């Protein structure tokens, strides 16, 4: 075998050439004449391979990434090291000198080429939706048979703000479009339905309540051939709040806590705690508000009875002494609540 380039005989050929001629004639790398990059002007995401991708690269870092992917080493090249230098810039067009160093068939070699890099500024679909006020879901915060308490609104606002700051790191559509306070409660317009679901779960974990969803047809995406919906997600808080009194299973209890798991009731007679799931919420009846608790005076104590004054009529009332009343003293103040014409003495520290 001989090399058709130099005529050397008895040489191993590489793509038809001897080693010397192959190294001489073969570029270490192949460079495109020009490359183009599209960057979102708002969030810096990039449009590559037909889709938008999150990115935190600045234009120069993106240029390096694109050129690194676009430059192809020759067959047999090893240890190729690339460096880039901007030699001219005209607005969003850069002339970049690409220098490569490496080995070709074991011999050190280098090469330079010049590439035109075009940086285009555009707006990605997510940022376009944000700018237009686009939203996929509405969270409706309501209270059953009452108005929302200002404290409940404040807690909800704080939870949503905190959660959105975390969610937006992975979902750019996790943003609040608008907050509208109406007579019935508060509506939160959220960019992403997925984010809205997560937010509602966070609200329920803290405030309790019952969640419901109602999709509404808003149009049709002709390009995708599917209907477009917006989802209204309601979180309805109960008619009672912490400290109120409920009738449940023929006993009266005080609401000790509310959260996403259910309602925690303390029986006024036995002081036993009852965890009630939200599915049983319809069976609960509020019989007294927390502001109906009043103070009165202990006038007598015996081993089995306690005498107090009625908080309104000052009539002496003799009641059975309960274990939690052991530290009550004559002349001391206690808290009571009247429900269905019956006076309940509350244990200390339950307010």
């Amino acid at each position: 075998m001989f090399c058709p380039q130099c005529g050397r005989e008895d040489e191993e050929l590489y793509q038809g050439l001897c080693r010397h001629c192959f190294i001489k004639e073969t570029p270490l790398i192949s460079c495109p004449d020009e490359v183009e990059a599209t960057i979102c002007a708002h969030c810096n995401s990039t449009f590559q391979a037909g889709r938008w991708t999150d990115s935190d690269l600045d234009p120069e870092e993106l240029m390096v990434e694109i050129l690194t992917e676009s430059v192809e080493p020759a067959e047999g090249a090893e240890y190729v090291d690339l460096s880039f230098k901007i030699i001219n810039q005209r607005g969003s067009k850069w002339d970049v000198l690409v220098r490569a160093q490496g080995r070709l068939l074991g011999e050190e070699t280098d090469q330079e080429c010049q590439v035109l890099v075009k940086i285009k500024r555009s707006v990605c679909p997510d940022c376009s939706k944000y700018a237009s006020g686009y939203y996929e879901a509405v969270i409706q915060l309501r209270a059953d048979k009452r108005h929302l308490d200002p404290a409940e609104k404040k807690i909800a606002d704080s939870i949503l703000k905190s959660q959105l700051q975390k969610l937006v790191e992975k979902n750019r559509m996790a943003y609040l479009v608008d907050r509208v306070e109406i007579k019935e409660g508060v509506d939160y317009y959220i960019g992403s339905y997925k984010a809205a679901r997560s937010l509602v779960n966070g609200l329920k974990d803290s405030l309790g309540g019952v969640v419901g969803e109602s999709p509404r047809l808003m149009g049709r995406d002709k390009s995708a051939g599917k209907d477009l919906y917006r989802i209204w997600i309601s979180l309805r808080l109960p008619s009672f709040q912490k400290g109120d009194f409920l009738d449940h299973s023929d006993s009266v209890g005080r609401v000790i806590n509310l959260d996403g798991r259910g309602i925690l009731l303390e029986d006024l007679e036995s002081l036993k705690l009852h965890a009630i799931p939200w599915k049983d919420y319809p069976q609960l009846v509020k019989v007294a508000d927390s502001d109906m608790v009043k103070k009165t005076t202990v006038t007598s104590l015996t081993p089995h009875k306690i005498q107090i004054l009625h908080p309104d009529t000052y009539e002496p009332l003799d009641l059975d002494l309960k274990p939690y009343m052991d530290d009550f003293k004559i002349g001391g103040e206690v808290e009571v609540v009247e429900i269905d014409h019956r006076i309940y003495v509350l244990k200390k520290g339950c307010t």
Side-chain angles (χ1 to χ4, degrees), residues 322-334:
K322 304 288 185 180
Y324 65 88
M325 301 177 186
D326 286 346
D327 59 347
F328 287 7
K329 299 182 182 302
I330 297 175
E333 281 192 337
V334 294

Side-chain angles (χ1 to χ4, degrees), residues 121-158:
R121 294 286 183 178
S122 184
V123 180
C124 72
D126 287 350
C127 289
S128 179
K129 289 176 179 178
Y130 176 79
S132 66
Y134 172 87
Y135 61 93
E136 294 179 354
V138 180
I139 298 174
Q140 297 177 305
L141 183 62
R142 303 287 189 267
D144 193 14
K145 300 177 184 178
R146 64 179 177 86
H147 293 296
L148 285 174
D149 187 271
E152 292 171 327
K153 297 177 187 178
K154 186 175 181 180
I155 292 172
D157 289 347
S158 177

Side-chain angles (χ1 to χ4, degrees), residues 192-203:
S192 161
Y193 165 68
K194 184 178 180 180
R197 281 292 308 169
S198 179
L199 293 169
V200 168
N201 289 337
L203 291 174

Side-chain angles (χ1 to χ4, degrees), residues 70-286:
S70 302
V71 171
E72 295 184 4
E75 183 179 345
E78 297 178 312
Y79 309 111
V80 178
D81 183 38
L82 300 175
S83 61
F84 309 94
K85 181 180 180 181
I86 300 173
I87 57 177
N88 188 27
Q89 184 172 353
R90 305 179 304 281
S92 60
K93 297 180 180 180
W94 300 350
D95 292 315
V96 180
L97 181 66
V98 181
R99 179 174 175 80
Q101 292 179 306
R103 290 182 181 181
L104 194 58
L105 298 184
E107 186 170 322
E108 295 286 345
T109 183
D110 59 51
Q111 179 191 343
E112 290 183 349
C113 60
Q114 187 171 314
V115 181
L116 174 63
V117 179
K118 297 179 179 178
I119 304 294
K120 294 176 61 179
R121 294 286 183 178
S122 184
V123 180
C124 72
D126 287 350
C127 289
S128 179
K129 289 176 179 178
Y130 176 79
S132 66
Y134 172 87
Y135 61 93
E136 294 179 354
V138 180
I139 298 174
Q140 297 177 305
L141 183 62
R142 303 287 189 267
D144 193 14
K145 300 177 184 178
R146 64 179 177 86
H147 293 296
L148 285 174
D149 187 271
E152 292 171 327
K153 297 177 187 178
K154 186 175 181 180
I155 292 172
D157 289 347
S158 177
I159 291 172
L160 261 65
K161 181 180 179 181
S162 175
Q163 284 196 241
L164 283 171
Q165 289 175 345
K166 296 178 182 178
L167 290 172
V168 77
E169 294 177 2
K170 296 183 178 180
N171 180 2
R172 286 203 305 273
M173 296 292 288
Y175 55 77
L176 176 66
V177 177
D178 199 7
R179 176 190 183 277
V180 180
E181 193 161 337
I182 57 178
K183 180 180 178 181
E184 294 82 4
V186 183
D187 290 342
Y188 301 92
Y189 293 74
I190 308 298
S192 161
Y193 165 68
K194 184 178 180 180
R197 281 292 308 169
S198 179
L199 293 169
V200 168
N201 289 337
L203 291 174
K204 183 178 179 181
D205 285 345
S206 179
L207 299 172
V210 179
V211 176
E213 287 194 14
S214 175
R216 302 182 190 179
L217 181 63
M218 305 304 296
R220 186 170 179 80
D221 185 344
K222 294 182 180 179
S223 61
K226 63 179 182 179
D227 293 332
L228 298 176
Y229 290 89
R230 281 197 179 121
I231 311 297
W232 269 252
I233 309 174
S234 66
L235 176 61
R236 185 165 292 277
L237 305 186
S239 57
F240 48 81
Q241 294 176 276
K242 184 178 178 180
D244 290 344
F245 300 87
L246 308 179
D247 188 338
H248 174 65
S249 299
D250 298 324
S251 64
V252 177
R254 191 170 199 181
V255 179
I256 301 301
N257 191 40
L258 295 167
D259 58 26
R261 294 171 294 181
I263 306 106
L264 186 64
L265 279 184
E266 183 180 62
D267 190 288
L268 294 188
E269 287 288 340
S270 66
L271 298 187
K272 290 182 179 179
L273 295 177
H274 301 281
I276 302 171
W278 285 108
K279 65 181 181 65
D280 292 341
Y281 167 63
Q283 281 74 55
L284 299 175
V285 178
K286 184 171 74 171

